[in-house]
Amino acid sequence: MELQINGRTVQADADPGMPLLWVLRDVLNMTGTKFGCGVAACGACTVRVDGAAVRSCAVPVSAVVGKRIQTIEALGTPDKPHALQLAWIAEQVPQCGYCQSGMLMAAAALLDKTPRPTDADIDAAMTNICRCGTYQRIRVAIKRAAGVAPGGAVKKAKA
Ligand code: FES
Ligand code: FES
């Protein structure tokens, strides 16, 4: 089937009922998106579909045909990182790192919808699980990224 992933048209040889996560990782070898629980509980597998944060382990690939899929591979590049990635580095957010691609995709969806999120906005949108307990740093990093003008320097967020 034909999928729109990270701005490209991609052919995937997969059963229509296969979860999107499996298609990304096992069929297309895009391993930036992680498998955690497999039951839509942890958020490690979060990608964006038409801009919204979606848990790809629980979505059959047939449901995203014709939609815009974005994965962590296209959030930024080493030469042109996303503001969230700069803030993540500045705040030293990742610990083991396993949950972080899903966290970043959820945060990107939040900032596109709510460019200046409050703590309540962040808590409502960021329901992913981090077993290393990076939640406080994630909150600070999201606020830090929210204060960045396009192409500008990362500013320290207010606590
Ligand atoms: S692996 Fe999808 S929510 Fe946990
Ligand atoms: S950084 Fe280890 S699970 Fe989140």
Side-chain angles (χ1 to χ4, degrees), residues 76-157:
T77 66
D79 289 341
K80 204 174 172 190
H82 190 281
L84 282 165
Q85 291 169 317
L86 290 173
W88 246 238
I89 293 167
E91 296 296 339
Q92 296 282 290
V93 172
Q95 299 303 305
C96 81
Y98 198 82
C99 71
Q100 297 293 324
S101 57
M103 289 286 189
L104 281 162
M105 298 310 285
L110 166 64
L111 286 190
D112 277 359
K113 211 171 149 197
T114 310
R116 298 286 184 272
T118 63
D119 286 347
D121 294 329
I122 293 170
D123 290 347
M126 300 298 294
T127 57
N128 296 13
I129 292 171
C130 173
R131 67 184 173 182
C132 300
T134 61
Y135 303 109
Q136 284 305 112
R137 290 187 186 194
I138 285 172
R139 178 183 283 187
V140 173
I142 289 173
K143 288 183 171 179
R144 189 164 181 159
V148 176
V154 171
K155 293 184 213 156
K156 183 73 183 166

Side-chain angles (χ1 to χ4, degrees), residues 2-4 20 49 54 59-69:
E2 196 170 276
L3 300 172
Q4 304 297 323
L20 174 59
V49 177
V54 164
V59 176
V61 67
S62 58
V64 296
V65 170
K67 299 187 177 178
R68 288 177 297 113
I69 302 161

Side-chain angles (χ1 to χ4, degrees), residues 21-22 33-46 54-58 98 128-129:
L21 176 61
W22 270 250
T33 307
K34 302 304 182 192
F35 168 73
C37 64
V39 293
C42 75
C45 65
T46 302
V54 164
R55 296 187 175 183
S56 62
C57 69
Y98 198 82
N128 296 13
I129 292 171

